[in-house]
Amino acid sequence: EDHSGSYFQNAEGEVGYYKVPPSDLVYNVRENVIQFRKPFLEKRRKEVLKIMSCLDNGFGMDDSSLSKLEMQILGAMDTKNIFLAGHSFGGCSTAFVMHSLEKEDELAKYA
């Protein structure tokens, strides 16, 4: 595989590719799957929290740095009613983020 379908580059320029589950991973053992997937889920959680914080705080930009279109889009958003949705691993990520927010009582910040 050339990794072209699953590629990322972080802010520091580090390149990453899809991580294949270890060949000895037994998928019918819940703890094995959790141990393998948790780092990915934690990364998604941090990304979602960062976006939610930006929405809540107006992205830290003053109006002069935004285009007319950007102002219209932000003005039309209801940042107090955020919906998370996903398909496949995105759905799993959504459930993980919501569960972790409920556990930590962080949802109150966005209610």
Side-chain angles (χ1 to χ4, degrees):
E1 181 175 341
D2 68 358
H3 303 289
S4 62
S6 299
Y7 165 88
F8 74 87
Q9 184 173 9
N10 66 18
E12 290 78 36
E14 176 188 356
V15 172
Y17 298 99
Y18 175 75
K19 292 193 179 188
V20 177
S23 60
D24 62 343
L25 178 71
V26 179
Y27 259 89
N28 63 352
V29 177
R30 185 174 187 269
E31 194 54 41
N32 292 348
V33 177
I34 290 171
Q35 184 178 0
F36 177 71
R37 296 291 184 199
K38 192 157 186 176
F40 304 104
L41 292 168
E42 287 292 346
K43 180 177 182 355
R44 296 292 174 262
R45 179 184 178 280
K46 288 176 185 173
E47 291 170 342
V48 168
L49 290 178
K50 185 175 183 179
I51 291 168
M52 289 173 69
S53 177
C54 287
L55 287 171
D56 199 39
N57 298 315
F59 294 91
M61 299 179 208
D62 61 52
D63 293 353
S64 65
S65 68
L66 299 173
S67 71
K68 183 177 178 181
L69 177 61
E70 290 167 329
M71 288 294 296
Q72 289 174 328
I73 291 169
L74 286 174
M77 295 171 108
D78 180 357
T79 60
K80 297 299 179 193
N81 289 299
I82 298 171
F83 295 87
L84 298 178
H87 173 264
S88 192
F89 193 69
C92 181
S93 299
T94 298
F96 180 80
V97 170
M98 293 304 296
H99 177 71
S100 68
L101 289 174
E102 286 175 353
K103 250 176 54 173
E104 298 167 13
D105 201 26
E106 289 188 42
L107 282 176
K109 292 181 194 175
Y110 305 101

